[in-house]
Structures are given as structure tokens and as C-alpha cells.
Amino acid sequence: MNSTVMKKTMYFFAVPALLFYCIFWIFPILKLFQYSITDFNGYAQNFKYVGLSNFKDLFEGGTLGNSIKNTLIYTAISVIAGNLIGLALALLLNQNIKGKGFYRSISYIPTLFSAIVVGFIWSYVYMPDSGMIATLFAKLGLPTDNLNFLGSYSSALYSIIFVEIWKNVGTTMIIFLAGLQTVPQDLLEAGKIDGCGTWKLLRFVKIPLLATSITINTTLSIINGLKAFDFPFIMTNGGPGDSTNTLIYSIYKMAFTEQMFGKASALGIISFFIIIVITAVTVLTMNKKEVSA
Amino acid sequence: MRKSKMKLAGILLTALLLVLMSACGSGNNAQNNVTATSTDGSANNDKPVTLTMMVSGTKAPDGQDFVLDIMPKLVKEKFPNVTLETSKLPDEQYFTSIRTKLASGQGPDIFWVFPRNASLGVLDMAKAGYAADLSDLTFWDNISQGAKEDMSYEGKPYGIAGGLDYLGVYYNQDLFKKAGVDALPQDWPSFLEACQKLKDAGITPITLADKDPWFIQFGMYQIASNVVYPDEMDFDTKLQAGEKSLTDSKWVETISRMKELYDKGYVVKNSLGLGSAQAAQLFVDGKAGMIFDGTWDFATLTAKGASDFTRGFFSLPANDPGQPTYVSAATAAGFALNAKSDNLSVAKEVMNYLFDGQSDLFKAWVDSNNSISVYKGVPLNHDLFKDVNDSYLNDGKSVYFPNQMWPTGVAEEMETKFAEIIGGKKTTPEKVTEAMDAKFKELWKK
């Protein structure tokens, strides 16, 4: 009857945590599903059930497609570029150079600021005419006429992606650095004896052994990218037009500016599934490729 | 023995949990007890009452802030038993948090609402049952009729307007002189001509902060006042009734006129990359001749910049030659009281005291108010607005801000689509109005 491992009464100890989990996590999520089929406006409680028309509107309207497109671009670039730069930095700072600790700290500092601060600083860096980049260009005698990073349709999205990478590359680098410490010295020596150059050591020894770090970094940046909200919110308000509207930003705008909480809930559910599917697929594929030292 | 110990542990744990839960709830109970006793009584009896108040805006840059510092102190002096706890949040955060608070029944006793149908507008708040009917306040005779109406729902006032705001054009008189613009433009062609003169003199005619999308409204509504409304003041009523649509040729014309300013290069280059602080800086530094903005930004736009110059303020003359210029004027946001609060009667007494027309509290309120007062006998706060104010009072030619008659979301759609025009996309004015109309129809539910 009684388990040899644990008395059944011990389960009572899980009740408080479970309760909190249900009240503050499970219940709101279920509520989201409920709201997604209503015309709830966020504050008046006399809402009506409207069936699946919220979802229908979303699939017919342009917002969903546009924000998925922006989110995917955001994610793809920040994952690929972020990881490449992070890896390069880690390899560089893993060498025996003078002031290694100093450089490592410097590269990690942007991560420590809050997104609000970073976004604000970069708005001024990007500002046309009197921003940092424009001033620099003017000093170098380059034309500054068309420097309008956040204000032009073609560059706004990429400009915020750059900031995202700039802010997060420190974390990526630290994880790669930690990974590099676990590469056994004897394997590297064996490689050298077998005649590997720097490139071959990297390609055939270090990178395969870094597979775990790569999985972690990629997963983290994918989740980060798919959830992108802070920088569009702080730096561009989703603009110009809707060119930097990401999924999460669209949800926010729909719910709190347009007061269409019901429709926003529907969009929330759609993006919930998108994020789950993309993350699951990547993690599963990458797990298969990992090797152990 | 062991088993019973375990049981005991289980029971204890459950008990602990219950205590915890009830502790969370008892905060409310305690509060209810205090307030329940004071519901029937007035603020003058001795039961201590805590009133909460939340408004939107930013703290005064220097000295004492009316809402945060002065009001709690003066209320305490008059009603020793009333403690007023105030907080002030930037607009966006205020919108989000006040809705959540109201919806969860934790709304403050006094809060800030906007006229008519604007975001967090008095109509929505009254309809949802959050704002209280204020008909029995004592000072209504001293508030201008228009301001009272703008804060009314089904004929009863639900909010106390903070004042009146004008949209207009702040301009740099020195630059105007330098460019040879001697007389203020009186109609659209002469306005364009003035812009051209400024441009020819190497001066940026207009600075706008299009990176902050709402800024687009400041020019657009002034044009609409002169194009859409002059011979159809009930346009929005017809719109709501489904007899008119936003694709009307008059709205297309409004958007085209705004577009003209960009096409001809009168608006600062790269305006989509400028935030409101940055655009204002260009104006106060004397680098641009004009900025479209409202009376509420007086302090920012009259701050000392890199150059010293005389400012002026006029209504954007988007009218055709021979027609009068309409002023874009609207009732400013103001106080509402929480209908579900137990302290409603106390809050009403505080409001009666605040607007009694003579108390120190009233005087402090008048001093701190950036809007044009709608209270009888209060003089105009800034001479800069004298001309526009005179024309408003004497000619009576004014139009409210159109978004006050739209559901929230339509103005945002207009901003998004118009930004495409600014950004050089192929969007036409017709497309902008179509998008606005579609949004209006989606959101407008009777």
C-alpha cells in the first residue's frame, strides 16, 4: 500500500505550490482561450461570445501575416548572426591575449543593462542628423542625408535586430566560452599531432564538442526572437507604419491600444502554437546532432 | 504514531494555507470595514478615510507637482481625516494599468478620463459603470457648457474637464521675418507659399515627430477641422449612424493636403526617425520654423534652446481662400470618480472643495494647469494663445478632435497608413481612408 519511497501524505506539501501554479498560470491561460472567442474589450465585463470570428478576422486581415513575417526575419537573423558573432568572440577571447578578463567583461556589459535603457540609448545613436552615427559620418566627411535608420521602411527592422544582437551577444559568448573550457586538451593535442591546422581543429574538434552550447544558444535566441517585444516597443512603436510589428507587439497593440482584448487573445493563441512548434522542431533536430566528448 | 504525525502535518499544512489565503483577503476586509462606516457620513466626521487617486502625465520638472505634492497636503489641511494617496503615470502605462485596476475592482477612487469617445473616454467609462454620475456636484454653473457636455453621457456629467486644449502651429517669428513672411497666412495657398519662402531661405519650414505615430494627428486634425467639418458639423454623428463613411472625398482631401506638405519637402527630412522630444528640440534650437502641436506642450516648446527667438501660435489655415479658419479645440482630460468606490461621497466633497473657485487648492490647481481654463472667471494662462483663444471665444468657429468621436484604434490605423506615405510607399490618400473606414466599421458597435 504505502510507497517505499514516499509517504502519500507527503503529497500535501505539493499542494501550495500546485495551487499557486494553477491560479496564476494555468487559470489565466485557460481564460485566454475563453477570451479568444469573445469580443471582450479589456475592462467591461458584459462581453459577448462571437465564435471563431476573431480567428477568421485575423487570417483574413494583414496583421497576422505581416507580424509573422517580421518575427521570423527577426528570429532568423538574430539567431544566425548572434551565434556567429558570439562564437567568434568566444574563440577570440579564449586565446591567451593580454587583458583577456577585461575584454570578456566589456563584451558582457550590454547584457547587464535593461532593454529600456539599451533601446533609449540606441534611439539616440540612430537619430538622424544629430545622432551618434550621423555625427560620426559627418566628421568623416561622409554624406548623412539618407541616414534614417529607424525611420525608413527598409532599414528599421534590421536596425532593431542589430540592437537585439548587440545586447544579447554577451550571453551567447559566455555560454560558448564555458563550452570551450570543456574541450579536452588531449583531443586538441592529438589533432595537432595528426596534422590539423587551426581551421581543421575548429571544424572537426571544437565545433562538434560545442554542440551542446550551440543547442542552448540557438534555443535561447529562437525563443528570444519569437518573443521580440521590447525593442519594437521602445525604439519604433512598431513603426514606421507597421514595418517593425512583431507578433507580441501586435498582441500588445491590439489589446491595449485598440481595446480588442478578444482578438488579441486569439492572436496570442496563434503565436503560442507557432512558438511551440518552431522551438520543438529545432530542439529535437539539434539534440540528434549532439555528440559527447 | 508515525501515521498520525503525518496526518497532523497534513492538517497543519492545510491550516497554514488557509491562513495564508485569508491573510491575502483580509486586507480588503479591513479596508471595507473602515470605509463602510464612512459611506453614510461625510468627510468631516472623524473616521479616517484613505482616498486613492491616479492620473496620467509626467511629474512637473521642477518644484512641487500639483497632483503628487500639493493636492494631498491641502486636502489633508481641509479634511484632517482624509488621506489622499496620489500617483501619476505616463500615458501608455496609465491606460494599461487603470483599465486593469478598474476591471479587477481595484480602481482608484479618483481617476483621469478623456472626453467623449477618446481612448479611456468618458462614454466608455460611464457605459461600463466605472465612472460615477456627478450631477450633484455643486460647481457645475461655473464650468463652461461645452466642456460639461464633452464629459457627459446621456445628458449627465461623468467627468470634470481639466480645461480646453487647442491644436495649432507654434512658429518662430524671427525665422518668419528672415524668410520674408510678413503676414500670417490666412488660407491654405498662402500657408504653402509661406512654407516655400522658408524653404527657399534655407530654413526647414516644419518639424514633426513622426516616429511617435500620434504626432501625425496634430496636423491632420487641424486640416480636417477646415476641410471635413465646416459645412457638415454632424459628420461624425452621420458616420456613427452609418450614413457617411471615412472614405468620403473630404477625408481624402484632408489626407492629400497633409501629404502635400511632405511631397513639397516642407516637413523636416527623415521625420519618421524623430521622436517628439527630438522634433521639439529642433524647434526650440531655432532650426525649424514651425511645429504642429497642442497647448499642452507649452512648457516644452517655450523652453530655452540654442537660439533665442519670439514664439507665436496660430491655427493651421487649411481653409480655402475666402473661408474662415476653424480652430481645432477640444476639452481636456479631467477627473472622474469611481462609481464602485465606498468613498464616493468623500471623493465628491474633495472635488467640491477643489473646484470651489476660491480655496488655496483651487488656486494651486489653476496655477498648475496647462490647459486653457473652462472655469468661469479664470484668466487665460499664457499670452501666446491669446489670438487663437480670442478667435475661439468670439467667432465660435471650432471643431473638436475627430478621434473623440471614433472608437480607439481608428486614429492609430490612420497613423500607421499615413506613415507609409511619409516613408515613400505607394500608399495613396484613398487607401488611408479605406483602412480607417475598415477599422472604424470593425470597432464601432452599437
Side-chain angles (χ1 to χ4, degrees), chain A residues 66-105:
Chain A
N66 176 55
S67 39
I68 289 182
K69 190 190 88 195
N70 287 339
T71 311
L72 289 183
I73 296 178
Y74 197 105
T75 312
I77 297 185
S78 63
V79 168
I80 296 169
N83 275 292
L84 286 179
I85 299 173
L87 182 61
L89 269 177
L91 289 169
L92 214 64
L93 296 177
N94 196 35
Q95 282 164 358
N96 277 323
I97 41 173
K98 227 181 184 181
K100 189 165 65 175
F102 175 72
Y103 292 123
R104 285 183 183 177
S105 314

Coordinates of all heavy atoms in Angstrom, one line a residue, chain A residues 66-105:
Chain A
N66 N 1.8 39.9 -41.7 CA 2.9 40.9 -41.6 C 3.7 40.6 -40.3 O 5.0 40.6 -40.3 CB 2.3 42.3 -41.6 CG 3.4 43.3 -41.4 OD1 4.4 43.4 -42.1 ND2 3.2 44.1 -40.4
S67 N 3.0 40.4 -39.2 CA 3.8 40.3 -38.0 C 4.5 38.9 -37.9 O 5.6 38.8 -37.3 CB 2.9 40.5 -36.7 OG 1.7 40.0 -36.9
I68 N 4.0 37.9 -38.5 CA 4.7 36.6 -38.5 C 6.0 36.8 -39.4 O 7.1 36.4 -39.0 CB 3.8 35.5 -39.1 CG1 2.8 35.1 -38.1 CG2 4.7 34.3 -39.5 CD1 1.9 34.0 -38.5
K69 N 5.8 37.5 -40.5 CA 7.0 37.7 -41.4 C 8.1 38.4 -40.6 O 9.2 38.0 -40.6 CB 6.5 38.5 -42.6 CG 7.6 38.5 -43.7 CD 7.2 39.5 -44.8 CE 7.7 40.9 -44.4 NZ 7.2 42.0 -45.2
N70 N 7.7 39.6 -40.0 CA 8.7 40.3 -39.2 C 9.3 39.5 -38.1 O 10.5 39.6 -37.9 CB 8.0 41.6 -38.6 CG 7.7 42.6 -39.7 OD1 8.3 42.6 -40.7 ND2 6.8 43.5 -39.4
T71 N 8.5 38.7 -37.4 CA 9.0 38.0 -36.3 C 10.0 36.9 -36.8 O 11.1 36.7 -36.2 CB 7.9 37.3 -35.6 OG1 6.9 38.2 -35.3 CG2 8.4 36.7 -34.3
L72 N 9.7 36.3 -38.0 CA 10.6 35.2 -38.5 C 11.9 35.9 -39.0 O 13.0 35.3 -38.7 CB 9.9 34.5 -39.6 CG 8.8 33.5 -39.1 CD1 8.2 32.7 -40.3 CD2 9.2 32.6 -38.0
I73 N 11.8 37.0 -39.6 CA 13.1 37.7 -40.0 C 13.9 38.0 -38.8 O 15.1 37.7 -38.7 CB 12.7 39.0 -40.8 CG1 12.0 38.6 -42.1 CG2 14.0 39.8 -41.1 CD1 11.6 39.9 -42.9
Y74 N 13.2 38.6 -37.8 CA 13.9 39.0 -36.6 C 14.6 37.8 -35.9 O 15.7 37.8 -35.6 CB 12.8 39.5 -35.6 CG 13.2 40.3 -34.4 CD1 13.1 41.7 -34.4 CD2 13.8 39.7 -33.3 CE1 13.5 42.5 -33.4 CE2 14.2 40.5 -32.3 CZ 14.1 41.9 -32.3 OH 14.5 42.6 -31.2
T75 N 13.8 36.7 -35.9 CA 14.4 35.5 -35.2 C 15.6 34.9 -36.0 O 16.6 34.7 -35.5 CB 13.3 34.4 -35.1 OG1 12.1 35.0 -34.6 CG2 13.8 33.3 -34.2
A76 N 15.3 34.7 -37.3 CA 16.4 34.1 -38.2 C 17.7 34.9 -38.1 O 18.7 34.3 -37.8 CB 15.9 34.0 -39.6
I77 N 17.6 36.2 -38.3 CA 18.8 37.0 -38.3 C 19.5 37.0 -36.9 O 20.7 36.8 -36.8 CB 18.6 38.4 -38.8 CG1 18.1 38.4 -40.2 CG2 19.8 39.3 -38.7 CD1 17.9 39.7 -40.8
S78 N 18.6 37.2 -35.9 CA 19.3 37.3 -34.5 C 19.9 35.9 -34.1 O 20.9 35.9 -33.4 CB 18.3 37.9 -33.5 OG 17.2 37.0 -33.3
V79 N 19.3 34.8 -34.6 CA 19.8 33.5 -34.2 C 21.2 33.3 -35.0 O 22.2 33.0 -34.3 CB 18.9 32.4 -34.6 CG1 19.6 31.0 -34.5 CG2 17.7 32.4 -33.6
I80 N 21.1 33.5 -36.3 CA 22.3 33.2 -37.0 C 23.5 34.1 -36.7 O 24.5 33.8 -36.3 CB 22.0 33.2 -38.6 CG1 21.0 32.0 -38.9 CG2 23.3 33.0 -39.4 CD1 20.4 32.1 -40.2
A81 N 23.2 35.4 -36.9 CA 24.2 36.4 -36.7 C 24.7 36.4 -35.2 O 25.9 36.5 -34.9 CB 23.7 37.8 -37.1
G82 N 23.7 36.3 -34.3 CA 24.1 36.4 -32.9 C 25.0 35.2 -32.5 O 26.0 35.4 -31.8
N83 N 24.7 34.0 -33.0 CA 25.5 32.9 -32.7 C 26.9 33.0 -33.3 O 27.9 32.6 -32.7 CB 24.8 31.6 -33.1 CG 23.9 31.1 -32.0 OD1 24.4 30.8 -30.9 ND2 22.6 31.2 -32.2
L84 N 26.9 33.4 -34.6 CA 28.2 33.5 -35.3 C 29.1 34.5 -34.6 O 30.3 34.2 -34.3 CB 28.0 33.9 -36.8 CG 27.5 32.8 -37.7 CD1 27.3 33.3 -39.1 CD2 28.5 31.6 -37.6
I85 N 28.6 35.7 -34.3 CA 29.4 36.7 -33.6 C 29.8 36.2 -32.2 O 30.9 36.4 -31.8 CB 28.6 38.0 -33.5 CG1 28.3 38.5 -34.9 CG2 29.4 39.1 -32.8 CD1 27.4 39.7 -35.0
G86 N 28.8 35.6 -31.5 CA 29.1 35.1 -30.2 C 30.2 34.1 -30.2 O 31.2 34.1 -29.4
L87 N 30.2 33.2 -31.2 CA 31.2 32.1 -31.3 C 32.5 32.8 -31.6 O 33.6 32.4 -31.0 CB 30.8 31.1 -32.4 CG 31.7 30.0 -32.6 CD1 31.8 29.1 -31.3 CD2 31.3 29.1 -33.8
A88 N 32.5 33.7 -32.5 CA 33.8 34.4 -32.9 C 34.4 35.0 -31.7 O 35.6 34.9 -31.4 CB 33.5 35.4 -34.0
L89 N 33.6 35.8 -31.0 CA 34.1 36.5 -29.8 C 34.6 35.5 -28.8 O 35.7 35.7 -28.2 CB 32.9 37.2 -29.1 CG 32.7 38.7 -29.6 CD1 31.5 39.2 -28.8 CD2 33.9 39.5 -29.2
A90 N 33.9 34.4 -28.6 CA 34.4 33.4 -27.6 C 35.7 32.8 -28.0 O 36.6 32.6 -27.2 CB 33.3 32.3 -27.5
L91 N 35.9 32.5 -29.3 CA 37.1 31.9 -29.8 C 38.3 32.9 -29.6 O 39.3 32.5 -29.1 CB 37.0 31.5 -31.3 CG 36.1 30.3 -31.5 CD1 35.9 30.1 -33.0 CD2 36.8 29.0 -31.0
L92 N 37.9 34.1 -29.9 CA 38.9 35.2 -29.7 C 39.4 35.4 -28.3 O 40.6 35.4 -28.0 CB 38.3 36.5 -30.2 CG 39.2 37.5 -30.9 CD1 39.8 36.9 -32.2 CD2 38.5 38.7 -31.2
L93 N 38.4 35.4 -27.4 CA 38.7 35.7 -26.0 C 39.1 34.4 -25.3 O 39.3 34.4 -24.1 CB 37.5 36.3 -25.3 CG 37.1 37.7 -25.9 CD1 35.9 38.3 -25.3 CD2 38.3 38.6 -25.7
N94 N 39.1 33.3 -26.0 CA 39.6 32.0 -25.3 C 41.1 31.9 -25.5 O 41.7 31.0 -25.0 CB 38.9 30.9 -26.0 CG 39.0 29.6 -25.1 OD1 39.0 29.7 -23.9 ND2 39.1 28.5 -25.7
Q95 N 41.7 32.8 -26.4 CA 43.1 32.7 -26.6 C 43.9 33.4 -25.5 O 43.3 34.2 -24.7 CB 43.4 33.4 -27.9 CG 43.1 32.5 -29.1 CD 43.1 33.3 -30.4 OE1 43.2 34.5 -30.4 NE2 42.8 32.6 -31.5
N96 N 45.1 33.2 -25.4 CA 45.9 33.8 -24.4 C 46.4 35.2 -24.8 O 47.4 35.4 -25.4 CB 47.2 33.0 -24.1 CG 46.8 31.9 -23.1 OD1 46.0 32.1 -22.2 ND2 47.3 30.7 -23.3
I97 N 45.4 36.2 -24.7 CA 45.8 37.5 -25.0 C 45.8 38.4 -23.7 O 45.2 38.0 -22.8 CB 44.9 38.2 -26.0 CG1 43.4 37.8 -25.7 CG2 45.2 37.7 -27.4 CD1 42.4 38.5 -26.5
K98 N 46.6 39.5 -23.8 CA 46.7 40.3 -22.7 C 45.3 41.0 -22.4 O 44.6 41.4 -23.3 CB 47.7 41.4 -23.0 CG 48.7 41.6 -21.9 CD 49.7 42.7 -22.2 CE 50.7 42.9 -21.2 NZ 51.7 43.9 -21.5
G99 N 45.0 41.1 -21.1 CA 43.7 41.8 -20.8 C 42.5 41.0 -21.2 O 41.5 41.6 -21.5
K100 N 42.6 39.7 -21.2 CA 41.5 38.8 -21.6 C 40.3 39.1 -20.7 O 39.2 39.3 -21.3 CB 42.0 37.4 -21.4 CG 41.1 36.3 -22.0 CD 41.8 35.0 -22.1 CE 42.2 34.5 -20.8 NZ 42.8 33.1 -20.9
G101 N 40.5 39.1 -19.4 CA 39.4 39.4 -18.5 C 38.6 40.7 -18.8 O 37.4 40.7 -18.8
F102 N 39.4 41.7 -19.1 CA 38.9 43.0 -19.3 C 38.0 42.9 -20.6 O 36.8 43.4 -20.6 CB 40.0 44.0 -19.6 CG 39.6 45.3 -20.0 CD1 38.9 46.2 -19.0 CD2 39.8 45.8 -21.3 CE1 38.5 47.4 -19.4 CE2 39.4 47.1 -21.6 CZ 38.7 47.9 -20.7
Y103 N 38.5 42.3 -21.7 CA 37.7 42.2 -22.9 C 36.4 41.4 -22.7 O 35.4 41.7 -23.2 CB 38.5 41.6 -24.0 CG 39.6 42.6 -24.5 CD1 41.0 42.2 -24.5 CD2 39.3 43.9 -24.9 CE1 42.0 43.0 -24.9 CE2 40.4 44.7 -25.3 CZ 41.7 44.3 -25.3 OH 42.7 45.1 -25.7
R104 N 36.6 40.3 -21.9 CA 35.4 39.5 -21.7 C 34.3 40.3 -20.9 O 33.1 40.3 -21.3 CB 35.8 38.3 -20.8 CG 36.5 37.2 -21.6 CD 36.8 36.0 -20.7 NE 37.6 35.0 -21.4 CZ 38.0 33.9 -20.9 NH1 37.8 33.6 -19.6 NH2 38.7 33.0 -21.6
S105 N 34.7 41.1 -19.9 CA 33.8 41.9 -19.2 C 33.1 42.9 -20.1 O 31.9 43.1 -20.1 CB 34.4 42.7 -18.1 OG 35.3 41.8 -17.4

